Each structure stands twice: as C-alpha cells, then as structure tokens.
Amino acid sequence: MIPEWLEPVRSGAATITADQLSRYVPPAGSTPRQGAVLLLIGEGPDGPDLLLTERAHHMRSHPGQVSFPGGSIDPDDGGPVAAALREAQEETGLDPAGVEVFGELPQLWLPPSNFAVTTVLGWWREESPVSVVDTDEVASVLRVPIDQLLDPANRVTTVHPMGRFGPGFLLADDLLLWGFTAGIVSRLFDHVGWTRPWDADVQFEVPDWMIFGRNGDEAEFPELPAPNTSFQEYPDR
C-alpha cells in the first residue's frame, strides 16, 4: 500500500496522456523496439526521493547522463514491469521484492533509437542497499530528494547544442538531469500539482561532451542499451 502523500502520483498516472508528456508517441502501424524504465519513489533520509543513475563518463553515447534505471524488454520479461525491475536490479542492486508497482505512464516513442518506452511507477516499500553494479555502464547511483527537484533554484531550461530547449534540474555534485527523464519528471510534477513556480528564462547549456561523447563525434545508439540512458529524447520547451 502506497503512502497517502503519493496518492496524487498514482491518480495522476491514471489520467495523464502521452501528449501531456511528450510530442512523440509510437506511430500507428509501427513496430518500435520495446523498452521500460523504473520511476522509483522512496522515503530517504531527506524525505521522498527518486532513484536515478548516472551513465559512465567513458561511454561513447551520452556519457554522464542522469536517468531512470531501465532498458530493453527481453522476451523472457513478459512485459515492462518485469523488465524495469530486472534492469534496476542489474544496474543498482535493487531488490525487486521491496518494490510495490502502482502504475505505468503512457508509452512514449524515442525517434533516434526507435524505442517505445513505458515508465513503470514504483513505491520503495522495503528499501535495499543500492550501488553501482557495473562501472562500465554506471558511474553512480543517486537518491535525489523530490524537494530538491521541486526547488525553483534548481530548475533550468536546458539548451541543446543544436538549439533545442527542454526542462532541466541542477543536482548535487554538478550533475544535470535533462532530456527524456527530465521531461517525464517535469511534466508529471506539473500534472499532479507539485511544481513550484520557477523561472523558465534561466538557461543552462548542455555540454557537447554529454551528447557527442569525448571524441566529438555523435554516437550511434547501441542495439541493446544498458542502462536506459540510451533512451534519448530531447523534449521541446
């Protein structure tokens, strides 16, 4: 059973539409690859928080990007819930037995990688230790307080080197939450009425290396992304 304060998210997930989250949905008649991510909410030492991962900095595609744990849905998974929990366990050591799944967001489409991604919502009912499992994929595992994400001082409009705009969140240790994950967080918070007024005119330029890699060449998306930071969308403002 989820706590009462989380009820707005549960009810909001049941009413939000794909168009309210993104302008990209799987095209009719298409057969995109299937993926799932876990939006896990816990009760940390600093209050309610989200479990996020930071992509390894040496990765060729989108190094250092912060995102939900997740990845491709394997044939043995049986669906997005099992896939999201499995990927979170593989990336962070999370014990899936302690997670209470309470909803899913509408499936979104990521054109660059042709992934249709389902965001699975979970309540961290019984916490388990989490940490980096594979340093080749993940640089750090984060528990980010929701209050920190809602703080107007940490809200920015990110600017892609190609000129696109999107919501962003400044995190501790000079980390930046942007792109697909930031879009979901921002628009879900808007929908459930948690967002505090913030100045969208404050801009933050996304460093080139976080998009094109250290060698300066835009990377192709891997066939089997792990972790889910291969799921890329840059929502327009």
Side-chain angles (χ1 to χ4, degrees), residues 68-153:
F68 302 129
S72 301
I73 298 177
D74 291 344
D76 294 339
D77 288 326
V81 171
L85 293 173
R86 173 184 55 77
E87 288 282 349
Q89 183 178 31
E90 292 175 357
E91 294 172 22
T92 72
L94 172 77
D95 183 357
V99 176
E100 179 177 340
V101 173
F102 64 91
E104 297 178 11
L105 297 181
Q107 194 175 64
L108 303 179
W109 183 49
L110 305 184
S113 52
N114 192 30
F115 262 102
V117 181
T118 299
T119 300
V120 175
L121 305 182
W123 160 241
W124 207 348
R125 185 186 63 252
E126 296 181 15
E127 293 187 7
S128 54
V130 290
S131 62
V132 175
V133 174
D134 185 352
T135 56
D136 285 337
E137 297 177 352
V138 178
S140 65
V141 175
L142 315 169
R143 295 191 64 169
V144 180
I146 291 177
D147 189 65
Q148 179 183 341
L149 296 170
L150 294 174
D151 186 344

Side-chain angles (χ1 to χ4, degrees), residues 45-63:
D46 297 314
D49 58 17
L50 296 182
L51 180 69
L52 299 171
T53 63
E54 176 193 7
R55 188 170 172 84
H57 287 225
H58 64 266
M59 299 293 283
R60 184 167 176 261
S61 175
H62 298 266

Side-chain angles (χ1 to χ4, degrees), residues 8-10 12-14 16 20-21 39 41 50 68 102 105 119 121 182-195:
V9 179
R10 187 202 66 77
I16 198 168
Q20 290 174 298
L21 287 167
L39 193 166
I41 302 176
L50 296 182
F68 302 129
F102 64 91
L105 297 181
T119 300
L121 305 182
I184 290 177
V185 171
S186 178
R187 292 176 179 121
L188 181 61
F189 285 176
D190 288 348
H191 186 71
V192 303
W194 284 4
T195 300

